[in-house]
Each structure stands twice: as C-alpha cells, then as structure tokens.
C-alpha cells in the first residue's frame, strides 16, 4: 500500500520532491494531485510503467493515457509535430488545465498511445506536478479504477489504487473537473471533453491568429 506524504502542492518541499522523484526513477507508480483531480502515474517513456498503470486501473487497451510535462519544451519533445494551434493555445493557457492532443513522437510507448499515434499532454498549473516532471514526463490518468468516479481526495485515490503505488502525495482536495481536452490532429480543432478552460476561449484564441 502506498505511503502517504502530506505536501503543499503549490510550494512543495525539496525533501518530498526528492523522495517522489527517487520512487519514479525506480519505476514505481505515484498518486499525486494535479491542477484538477488526483492522478496515478509514473515515467511516461517507460513501457512497463504504462502497463502497470493500466493494470492498476483496469483500463481498457484501446484508451490512451494522458501525460503532463514540466514545461513547453518537455511537452514538445513528446510530439512528432507541433501545430500552430498548439503553440497559440499553450502560450495562452499553460500552465493550466488544458490538454492538447497532438501527433505522438516515436519515443512515446504504445502502452501510452494505445496505437492511436497521438498523445494528450498539458503543463499543469501546480508547482508540485511540474517539479515531479523534472524526472521526465508523467502519465497523469485519474487515480481510480476504471468506471469509478475520479478521486477528489487523496484518501479516495489510495483506497482505489494505492496497492499499486509506492507513494501518495496528499495536497488537499482536488477540483471537481477534468482538464479541457482539445484534439489538434485535424485541420479544425475539436473539443473532446469540456473542462475548466472554456471552449469559447479556446476558439477566440485560435481565431486571433488570422
């Protein structure tokens, strides 16, 4: 069962970050707060980590796993191409709860992409999450069993998937909404999931380029 550590998600201590990144480097899974819900994840570029996350959640093979990155450069490193629309939206809304679906780079494992050739990535607002990504981009799927409600409290996440994680970072209550999810793999941006970033604000940002 995961060891629970209390952390200030906006001003995390160096000791907590060091312990968490050490666990990640060892290939372990982590429960951690993002700018929305509690996530279950590990180092995204290790295929065995993606498989472990799927097993912990009971997630279907056909569903890709979303990722978080420390900043724009790391996010772009995950992508085969970076559309102009992605550049505009990242400049406007990152760090923040907006996930962009873009063509995946070759180094992103199929256990993450589920064979779609695409990856959903965002730079989260919370300093804790970004500092964890110093170890590498992280899988950031909700820390619940498939089909169950996403957890807003660390204790709920631990009860659901804590047996598969080495550490759980308790940063207090989450926010009751997943990130806004926008598909940029086609000529026209598509909203796949509404969230904290309003679709009208996304469209207004994209219209400003013309």
């Amino acid at each position: 069962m995961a060891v629970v550590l209390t952390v200030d998600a906006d001003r995390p201590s160096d000791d907590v970050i060091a312990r968490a990144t050490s666990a990640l480097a060892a290939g372990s899974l982590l429960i951690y707060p993002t700018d929305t819900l509690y996530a279950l994840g590990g180092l995204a570029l290790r295929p065995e980590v993606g498989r472990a996350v799927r097993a912990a959640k009971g997630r279907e093979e056909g569903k890709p796993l979303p990722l978080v990155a420390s900043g724009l450069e790391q996010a772009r490193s995950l992508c085969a191409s970076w559309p102009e629309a992605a550049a505009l939206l990242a400049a406007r809304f990152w760090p923040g709860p907006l996930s962009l679906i873009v063509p995946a780079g070759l180094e992103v494992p199929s256990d993450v992409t589920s064979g779609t050739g695409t990856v959903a990535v965002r730079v989260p607002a919370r300093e804790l999450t970004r500092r964890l990504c110093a170890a590498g981009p992280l899988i950031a799927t909700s820390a619940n069993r498939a089909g169950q409600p996403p957890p807003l409290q660390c204790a709920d996440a631990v009860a659901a998937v804590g047996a598969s994680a080495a550490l759980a970072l308790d940063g207090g209550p989450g926010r009751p909404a997943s990130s806004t999810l926008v598909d940029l793999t086609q000529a026209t941006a598509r909203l796949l999931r509404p969230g904290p970033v309003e679709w009208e604000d996304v469209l207004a940002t994209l219209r400003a380029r013309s």
Side-chain angles (χ1 to χ4, degrees):
M1 184 61 69
V3 174
V4 179
L5 301 177
T6 301
V7 61
D8 184 332
D10 296 310
R11 291 178 295 277
S13 71
D14 292 342
D15 287 347
V16 168
I17 293 296
R19 187 166 176 181
T21 54
S22 177
L24 291 168
S28 298
L29 301 187
L30 196 69
I31 293 168
Y32 61 96
T34 68
D35 42 356
T36 54
L37 308 166
Y38 273 84
L40 174 69
L43 293 176
L45 300 186
R46 295 188 182 183
E48 69 276 12
V49 170
R51 291 192 291 271
V53 169
R54 289 185 183 281
K57 285 179 61 72
R59 190 177 180 92
E60 307 95 299
E61 289 299 323
K63 287 189 174 182
L65 296 169
L67 307 184
V68 288
S70 60
L72 179 60
E73 182 177 354
Q74 190 179 79
R76 291 187 64 169
S77 75
L78 298 166
C79 310
S81 62
W82 190 247
E84 180 188 4
L88 289 167
L89 294 174
R92 171 67 178 84
F93 296 108
W94 284 359
L98 175 66
S99 295
L100 303 177
I101 298 178
V102 292
L106 294 177
E107 71 277 14
V108 181
S110 60
D111 295 281
V112 168
T113 66
S114 289
T116 61
T118 64
V119 62
V121 62
R122 78 178 188 272
V123 175
R126 280 189 155 174
E127 182 182 349
L128 168 65
T129 319
R130 296 197 305 273
R131 288 189 64 185
L132 293 175
C133 290
L138 299 182
I139 293 169
T141 187
S142 57
N144 58 285
R145 293 287 297 175
Q148 298 300 311
L152 296 179
Q153 303 284 346
C154 184
D156 295 332
V158 171
V161 295
S164 300
L167 290 177
L169 304 183
D170 189 346
R175 298 179 176 89
S178 298
S179 63
T180 304
L181 182 61
V182 176
D183 184 354
L184 299 177
T185 61
Q186 306 297 322
T188 302
R190 294 187 302 147
L191 176 66
L192 297 190
R193 181 181 66 207
V197 175
E198 296 291 340
W199 178 233
E200 284 304 317
D201 292 336
V202 170
L203 293 178
T205 300
L206 296 178
R207 284 195 295 266
R209 66 180 169 179
S210 55

